[in-house]
Amino acid sequence: MHPVVKTVLERLGLGLATLFFVSIIIFSAIEMLPGDFGQAILGQAALPETVAAFRQELGLDKPAYIRYFDWALGAIQGDLGTSFSGRNASGADRSAEVVDKIAPRLWNTLFLASMAALIAVPLSLILGILTALYRNSFFDRSVNTATLTTISFPEFFVAYILILFFASLNQIFPSLANVDPDTNFGERIYRTALPAFTLTLVIVAHMMRMTRAAIINLLASPYIQMAKLSGASQTEIILKHALPNAWAPIATVIAFNLAYLVVGVVVVEVVFVYPGVGQLMVDAVRTRDIPVVQGCALIFAVTYILLNLIADIIGIVTNPRLLHPK
Amino acid sequence: MNKDTNTYSAAGEVGSVLESRSTFTRLKIELNKAPLTAKFGIFIIIVFVGLAIFAPLIAPYGEAEVFPEPYAPWSANHIFGTDQIGRDIFSRLIFGARNTVGVAFATTILAFLIGGALGLAAAINRSYLDLFLSRTVDVLMAIPQLIFALVLLSIFGSTIINLIIIIAVLDSTRVFRLTRAVSLNVVVMDYVEVAKLRGENISWVMRKEILPNILPPLIAEFGLRFCFVFLSIAALSFLGVGIQPPTADWGSMVRENASLIQFAQYDLKAAMTPLLPAAAIALLTVAVNFVVDWFLHKTSGIKDEK
């Protein structure tokens, strides 16, 4: 078998295994709840029969491994269970399906994250390559200091500074990013501008520094020196010699930061009251609505693992050493 | 030995005891040579630690003392005004130094105790223990930390103790990896082998043979992890699932006063209020980063590529 195919298959297998273990961890969230949580959710006035019925609905009378497979099979088919909220002591059940809560918000979150990524990725790659080429120049040092400072800022600090200048003092953008399914595309971009800028500022710093380090590392390697000595031009060195080997580290950098976006999006959504999955998850944590927390966590974790997996695979597929075996 | 300064004898000079500089003098010399950013960082850290320790003496009012006027403007009585239920912002900022920084510090220490001990043990005992711990850490690190923390907090509830334990356990995975990686190089040294053959137990080998040799990278990592833990706890408190009111905490203070920012056109000072605790968080993180940068530079001997 071609070594590339073999390594890719290995990584896929590893990714699946990780996914399996992660899903077990998220599933066991409900396992670790204290024994009387049925009473806690339904209220003190709930009759023992109601509590028993609730426990049966959750399947707590079945062994854990059977429930895990039920839950995992359901999750694969898009059924994440039923929310805890909306239940009360009388046994009346106005709770919603977790999927119905998450689905419309997932689209919003993806929209925001991809908007931030579309601005941040090209910007940081260009900045990273430029600072690596002109390293130790005034430009390099000022960009470096600026990014070192923004890395240390919490996301909400960046967000509120942007709100202060662009929404409050000068009313250019709205400070609340309230969108609904009827909002048209242009309006949507306008309203999510500030959250997207916040996320951009937060990840550009990381991404740019990592790109810079990767390129500098590469430019210091002996074969680039050799190319330089043999009289190749600067562009030729970058395009023909450096880039083929740089795709792997750059892909890792991008995926790493997109994965970081997954986390940053939670805080930013709360600041701008943006109806996304992150905000839903935080609300669910506050009301201890475990099925919703599990559903959101599963989505975030799967995205995170997939992004890292894609980075790995890009790294393998573009690796010249693996592509041209001896 | 001849101490007479008027006569010189070579034997006397050779025989005189060389006085080595005390730790304090050496520290002073190092500090004088430190770059401006590191001095700035050390200064900020000292100020914050001072605020944290002497909070009740410095703060003009109590942590949860309520005054009749909510959202009072900046004035002589209340330097930074009051918050949504009339507590003095300035006093809460000072108490926040104690609570937020204290919790973050305790969490980092706990993370290092767990991660460091397990990392050392895995490096020494490279069999099932190492395999088991390394794979567990791999899986734990496959879930974004903030998301994992949110899941755990929803199960166990948001108390300060739970917060410290959850973040410490999640963060110890990084410490574990670093400790294991750096101590693997030390474990194979002859003197470790000798200590083992001498019959010292695993705890002795860990503390007396390996730990002193891996300390510099661990100390630098301590600074970086502290920043990370500090920012995570601030983020969780900001989200309302971290340190709970009435405890003064910088993260939740930002959230509680955030609505003031809308009035920037009418009262810029009041609009700055929610930014103050956020700026305090940022300032401390920047300061620690500067000091860690300087320390890494000193201990690793790595010079920036020139």
Side-chain angles (χ1 to χ4, degrees), chain B residues 124-125 187 191-200 205:
Chain B
I124 296 172
N125 180 347
V187 168
Y191 57 82
V192 178
E193 198 60 32
V194 168
K196 276 188 195 163
L197 288 176
R198 208 161 60 213
E200 306 288 6
V205 176

Side-chain angles (χ1 to χ4, degrees), chain A residues 18 21-22 25 29 136 152-154 157 160 164 168-169 171 175 212 263 270-271 282 285-286 288 297 300 304-305, chain B residues 139 142 144 146-148 150-151 154-157 238-239 241 254-255 258 261-262 264-265 275 278 282 285-286 289 305:
Chain A
T18 319
F21 284 112
V22 165
I25 291 179
N136 292 320
S152 313
F153 283 8
F157 189 40
Y160 282 122
L164 181 66
S168 198
L169 284 177
Q171 279 152 358
S175 63
R212 177 179 180 273
V263 180
V270 172
V271 174
V282 173
V285 171
R286 254 186 255 139
R288 303 180 77 171
F300 282 126
Y304 191 76
I305 294 172
Chain B
V139 172
L146 186 72
I147 305 297
F148 208 164
L150 283 173
V151 172
S154 72
I155 301 166
F156 297 112
F238 172 79
L239 295 174
V241 293
V254 177
R255 178 195 185 81
I261 219 165
Q262 302 299 334
Q265 284 184 320
L275 292 180
T285 328
V286 173
N289 266 328
E305 63 306 304

Side-chain angles (χ1 to χ4, degrees), chain B residues 55-126:
Chain B
L57 299 177
I58 302 169
Y61 305 106
E63 181 179 0
E65 206 177 330
V66 178
F67 292 91
E69 191 186 2
Y71 290 133
W74 293 20
S75 65
N77 277 341
H78 302 289
I79 300 179
F80 295 136
T82 58
D83 67 2
Q84 82 282 11
I85 57 170
R87 292 170 298 195
D88 184 55
I89 300 265
F90 182 59
S91 305
R92 282 178 75 73
L93 269 178
I94 293 171
F95 277 101
R98 170 177 274 196
N99 300 326
T100 318
V101 180
V103 167
F105 191 67
T107 310
T108 321
I109 299 248
L110 187 59
F112 266 77
L113 286 180
I114 302 172
L118 291 181
L120 277 178
I124 296 172
N125 180 347
R126 306 215 50 202

